[in-house]
Amino acid sequence: DPNNDQIMYATVYYGNITRSTNAGVGFGGFAANGTNGITEDGAWITPFILDRVNSDIMFIGYKNIWRTTNATAGTPVFDQISNNLAGSNSSNMRRVKQSKLNSNRLFAVRSDNKLFRSDNALGTAPTWTDLTTNLPGSGTLADIETSPFSNNTLWIIRGNNVYKSINSGGSWSFYSSGLPSINLNCLVADPLSNGGLYVGTDAGVYYIDNSLSSWIPFDDGLPTTVEITELEIYHPQGNWGASRLRAGTYGR
């Protein structure tokens, strides 16, 4: 919890999320099938995020999107805020991403490579738009990232390519010039840059911004054969100038 350093969350497989209220000394049940209103399992790695402004709000992607508005309460209550989205399907959610500029805008990637957007995710009855028919390319829809500068700009990884949209997912353009033809796994946008974007691959990290015509390696000191599975930008609270890019790797 970015607003309370006593509160933290940990997760294991299928969406079993636990919570600590004493800085990690002990953890207790928080979210899982049959717990606090939830009636679904999730993927092996179940995505969950805290609202970018109000850390009492959490979104979890099981088969549907679930939301609590009292994550720090003794007994939080979760509500299902989607209804199978594009019809009856047993697929789990792969990614959940909130706009960096509008907390009401939420994107969800499902494991059958479908993409959805809600523009009223904080409302009493959120509605969803299926963006799947507009998706470019083919292959696994691995990640999605939103821009810190434009509410309508976002990027996705599909197959071995990155694509960019400037109209909230209505259409896409190829954004992979300079990237090797290898697995791409994760994206993170830099809020202190000229449109900077990092991608984690099966062979290091690459970077691009508005001043570059193609991606460049950003992996001096990284093992060349390591699979980058997660990228996060850390910063001390209120101090983006001291930010750090951190890479998580598979098996290391």
Side-chain angles (χ1 to χ4, degrees), residues 36-51:
N36 294 333
I38 296 169
T39 59
E40 297 176 336
D41 290 319
W44 180 263
I45 299 175
T46 295
F48 67 100
I49 59 172
L50 294 174
D51 179 84

Side-chain angles (χ1 to χ4, degrees), residues 2-240:
N3 300 307
N4 186 337
D5 62 8
Q6 295 296 301
I7 298 176
M8 57 187 64
Y9 302 91
T11 181
V12 292
Y13 33 79
Y14 304 135
N16 186 350
I17 301 171
T18 60
R19 181 186 64 183
S20 173
T21 58
N22 55 11
V25 174
F27 285 83
F30 176 74
N33 192 350
T35 301
N36 294 333
I38 296 169
T39 59
E40 297 176 336
D41 290 319
W44 180 263
I45 299 175
T46 295
F48 67 100
I49 59 172
L50 294 174
D51 179 84
R52 66 181 188 87
V53 175
N54 182 356
S55 55
D56 263 335
I57 299 173
M58 177 186 283
F59 299 97
I60 307 177
Y62 289 100
K63 287 177 174 52
N64 283 281
I65 305 299
W66 293 74
R67 181 189 68 192
T68 183
T69 58
N70 60 350
T72 60
T75 304
V77 176
F78 284 87
D79 295 305
Q80 181 180 318
I81 62 168
S82 71
N83 185 23
N84 293 320
L85 296 175
S88 179
N89 195 288
S90 60
S91 298
N92 294 305
M93 293 297 167
R94 176 179 292 141
R95 299 282 188 177
V96 176
K97 183 71 67 169
Q98 190 178 43
S99 165
K100 292 179 174 59
L101 299 174
N102 179 359
S103 295
N104 254 310
R105 175 164 285 188
L106 197 70
F107 294 90
V109 175
R110 208 166 63 184
S111 60
D112 58 351
N113 301 314
K114 291 186 176 293
L115 176 63
F116 307 92
R117 187 191 75 227
S118 175
D119 294 324
N120 58 346
L122 299 179
T124 55
T127 55
W128 296 85
T129 300
D130 188 348
L131 302 174
T132 307
T133 57
N134 301 326
L135 288 174
S138 61
T140 299
L141 188 58
D143 200 11
I144 182 170
E145 174 64 316
T146 60
S147 170
F149 306 109
S150 167
N151 191 48
N152 297 318
T153 299
L154 61 149
W155 302 268
I156 58 170
I157 293 173
R158 189 166 201 196
N160 290 347
N161 291 307
V162 177
Y163 298 91
K164 180 180 181 179
S165 175
I166 58 173
N167 57 6
S168 305
S171 61
W172 301 86
S173 59
F174 184 76
Y175 203 64
S176 294
S177 178
L179 287 176
S181 183
I182 57 176
N183 285 338
L184 310 178
N185 305 311
C186 52
L187 293 164
V188 67
D190 187 349
L192 278 189
S193 67
N194 181 20
L197 185 68
Y198 299 90
V199 61
T201 79
D202 275 7
V205 177
Y206 286 77
Y207 173 80
I208 195 170
D209 62 28
N210 294 336
S211 68
L212 297 171
S213 59
S214 61
W215 293 81
I216 60 173
F218 196 87
D219 54 10
D220 186 23
L222 279 175
T224 58
T225 57
V226 74
E227 179 183 340
I228 307 295
T229 58
E230 187 73 16
L231 291 171
E232 298 285 351
I233 296 178
Y234 162 81
H235 66 98
Q237 198 165 41
N239 181 11
W240 277 104

